[in-house]
Amino acid sequence: MALVPCQVLRAAILLSYCSILCNYKAIDMPAHQTYGGSWKFLTFIDLVIQAVFFGICVLTDLSSLLTKGNDSQEQERQLKKLISLRDWMMAVLAFPVGVFVVTMFWSIYIYDRELVYPKLLDNFIPAWLNHGMHTTVLPFVLIEMRTTHHQYPSRSCGLAAVCTFAVGYILWVCWIHHVTGVWVYPLLEHLSPGVKVIFFAAVTVVINILYVVGEVLNNYIWDTQK
């Protein structure tokens, strides 16, 4: 794809995430008023991650255009740092967390929506916003992977970062339950303590697998394994 279409595409995706976040935050939902607010939901955290990531992508595109034909070594160094940050976010957060949210949400939703997205929420969240939070994330991140080659970190460093994020969020969910006595997701109410441990371990394994899937897919698309 040409540079300008890619720039326009990223800018459009960024604007869509900003619109989704604004509309979501404008909803007067009881869960937003409880401990942790919107930040207790992985869906909201993922939306912020995606918005920040595509914001960095747009900033990288603008910086690349501004430094084109410029011989300033300092500007080149700053651009390389920005590209490194963009690639790191894609590898460690945007792809694995985004794909995890979409696949996990719809898998549980199809099995029993009350375990993850009770029907009561339909009174607060319109269908288009639900798809904006739980569906379009996947095609957007795949489009980005297809249009731009991202340099992945070493596998050990990448997996360590992904594990840190996953364990950090699990501890956050457990802390919220410790403070409020209520689990963030209804699904957890139905699991015994032992099964919860297995579930959290499985979630960590899955998100690590998705990191590897992203790395392999990136290499396949851009043929970096020559």
Side-chain angles (χ1 to χ4, degrees):
M1 281 188 136
L3 179 61
V4 173
C6 290
Q7 289 178 321
V8 173
L9 187 60
R10 290 189 185 108
I13 293 175
L14 174 60
L15 289 175
S16 72
Y17 276 123
C18 291
S19 174
I20 291 169
L21 281 167
C22 289
N23 279 277
Y24 178 75
K25 292 298 292 182
I27 296 173
D28 185 18
M29 202 160 57
H32 291 173
Q33 312 305 322
T34 57
Y35 185 82
S38 302
W39 292 98
K40 58 178 170 284
F41 301 113
L42 185 59
T43 292
F44 179 77
I45 294 174
D46 178 52
L47 287 176
V48 174
I49 288 172
Q50 302 297 332
V52 171
F53 168 68
F54 279 99
I56 293 174
C57 287
V58 171
L59 184 59
T60 302
D61 288 337
L62 291 175
S63 299
S64 179
L65 287 175
L66 292 174
T67 57
K68 192 174 183 180
N70 194 322
D71 296 330
S72 173
Q73 293 184 350
E74 178 59 27
Q75 289 183 343
E76 285 292 332
R77 281 195 296 268
Q78 295 303 320
L79 178 59
K80 287 180 180 178
K81 289 181 180 179
L82 201 56
I83 292 173
S84 296
L85 176 60
R86 178 201 67 187
D87 292 349
W88 185 89
M89 278 204 68
M90 176 65 171
V92 174
L93 295 175
F95 184 88
V97 178
V99 176
F100 177 84
V101 166
V102 173
T103 55
M104 183 64 75
F105 175 83
W106 287 111
S107 297
I108 299 176
Y109 185 98
I110 291 171
Y111 174 74
D112 184 356
R113 67 170 294 177
E114 295 298 318
L115 296 176
V116 68
Y117 194 82
K119 196 171 181 61
L120 176 66
L121 292 179
D122 291 341
N123 298 324
F124 300 95
I125 303 176
W128 72 267
L129 186 55
N130 180 29
H131 284 292
M133 297 187 296
H134 298 116
T135 305
T136 57
V137 173
L138 181 57
F140 283 168
V141 78
L142 290 176
I143 288 171
E144 171 60 23
M145 180 171 281
R146 179 62 184 86
T147 56
T148 305
H149 174 242
H150 297 274
Q151 185 67 43
Y152 269 60
S154 66
R155 174 131 348 145
S156 58
C157 291
L159 290 176
V162 171
C163 276
T164 299
F165 175 84
V167 172
Y169 180 70
I170 290 170
L171 292 175
W172 172 231
V173 168
C174 292
W175 175 255
I176 292 172
H177 176 261
H178 172 73
V179 172
T180 65
V182 178
W183 288 103
V184 174
Y185 302 102
L187 168 66
L188 298 173
E189 300 282 358
H190 302 278
L191 304 180
S192 65
V195 176
K196 282 188 182 73
V197 172
I198 296 173
F199 176 77
F200 288 143
V203 163
T204 304
V205 170
V206 168
I207 201 167
N208 275 271
I209 291 174
L210 290 176
Y211 171 85
V212 177
V213 169
E215 181 183 26
V216 172
L217 184 59
N218 181 72
N219 290 339
Y220 174 77
I221 290 173
W222 296 97
D223 195 25
T224 57
Q225 291 184 330
K226 290 184 179 180

